[in-house]
Amino acid sequence: DTGVSQDPRHKITKRGQNVTFRCDPISEHNRLYWYRQTLGQGPEFLTYFQNEAQLEKSRLLSDRFSAERPKGSFSTLEIQRTEQGDSAMYLCASSPSGTRVFFGPGTRLTVL
Amino acid sequence: AQSVTQLGSHVSVSEGALVLLRCNYSSSVPPYLFWYVQYPNQGLQLLLKYTSAATLVKGINGFEAEFKKSETSFHLTKPSAHMSDAAEYFCAVRLKGTARQLTFGSGTQLTVLP
């Protein structure tokens, strides 16, 4: 069990650029979640996949954000035309059926 | 809708003293409740969870929490703080019977003084 991994761990970009983050969940976990965490706050839910189906999206997920989970394995989160307000830690989590959720180390995005 | 309130964004205790981190929830139906810990530059680690079995839940690292329905609370305690307990702690809630997302509180930064 290698845990949830995320890549990159840190990303610095200029405003207006597009960025893409990857999450590899724990093998055979069919549920995958994306959260965003800003400084001094708890994580906020962005979106949820069960296998390859995106079942829920937060209102926080504007049109500039898109997430995919092809084949129900890894997932990507893309942010288009980044804004300074997008600067945050982006957390991925996975879960088997049940209540326990495992979090990855996060990708820290800084938009200059 | 569900929400979580953590009272006290910063708590300081002396090493060896009691740790008490407060969490109150709001939910239309009885929820699942969780405490997570986050160390600097690391992901969230589950400390303990309440899923409607015993109301006193024991977790890792000597932490425990008691679910009190009448007070809508799920406070986290540890009898004796260690320096290694210094971290940020998050309370979270999730509706029972769903795979829906966790809703987190804003966190409490615990400082342990020597």
Side-chain angles (χ1 to χ4, degrees):
Chain A
D1 184 350
T2 58
V4 179
S5 61
Q6 293 187 244
D7 183 71
R9 295 291 307 276
H10 303 273
K11 177 70 176 178
I12 299 174
T13 191
K14 292 183 178 179
R15 189 175 50 187
Q17 298 294 305
N18 299 343
V19 295
T20 300
F21 310 141
R22 177 181 171 122
C23 170
D24 286 272
I26 294 172
S27 178
E28 299 181 0
H29 280 194
N30 61 351
R31 298 169 185 172
L32 187 146
Y33 306 82
W34 284 98
Y35 289 82
R36 181 173 69 186
Q37 185 179 19
T38 54
L39 200 62
Q41 298 297 318
E44 296 173 294
F45 169 74
L46 292 178
T47 190
Y48 156 60
F49 290 85
Q50 183 154 326
N51 299 311
E52 66 276 8
Q54 188 174 20
L55 297 185
E56 196 159 350
K57 291 170 62 173
S58 163
R59 284 170 290 181
L60 292 174
L61 214 65
S62 75
D63 292 345
R64 296 185 296 106
F65 287 71
S66 62
E68 295 182 341
R69 192 183 182 196
K71 302 180 183 177
S73 56
F74 71 92
S75 176
T76 59
L77 177 68
E78 181 183 16
I79 309 174
Q80 296 183 325
R81 305 181 304 281
T82 52
E83 302 173 356
Q84 288 188 323
D86 297 331
S87 295
M89 177 77 84
Y90 290 84
L91 296 169
C92 178
S94 70
S95 175
S97 55
T99 56
R100 183 148 187 187
V101 177
F102 296 80
F103 282 82
T107 294
R108 182 169 295 283
L109 173 66
T110 301
V111 181
L112 302 177
Chain B
Q2 60 208 33
S3 65
V4 175
T5 301
Q6 290 184 242
L7 297 176
S9 57
H10 291 85
V11 170
S12 294
V13 300
S14 297
E15 192 173 18
L18 171 72
V19 175
L20 171 60
L21 304 183
R22 299 178 186 274
C23 172
N24 288 87
Y25 70 91
S26 172
S27 177
S28 56
V29 296
Y32 294 138
L33 293 159
F34 305 82
W35 275 100
Y36 283 85
V37 60
Q38 188 175 35
Y39 298 99
N41 299 315
Q42 295 188 26
L44 292 153
Q45 180 182 3
L46 180 67
L47 278 178
L48 49 82
K49 61 180 181 180
Y50 166 75
T51 56
S52 77
T55 57
L56 182 61
V57 181
K58 295 187 183 298
I60 62 172
N61 301 339
F63 284 93
E64 62 182 37
E66 186 172 8
F67 172 68
K68 292 186 176 180
K69 184 178 179 181
S70 61
E71 298 178 7
T72 60
S73 69
F74 191 57
H75 302 330
L76 181 71
T77 61
K78 183 174 180 178
S80 176
H82 295 162
M83 297 297 290
S84 60
D85 294 328
E88 187 146 26
Y89 292 79
F90 293 95
C91 183
V93 62
R94 199 185 94 191
L95 288 179
K96 283 186 185 178
T98 74
R100 295 182 63 187
Q101 71 275 15
L102 295 163
T103 299
F104 286 87
S106 56
T108 297
Q109 182 69 47
L110 176 66
T111 300
V112 181
L113 305 170

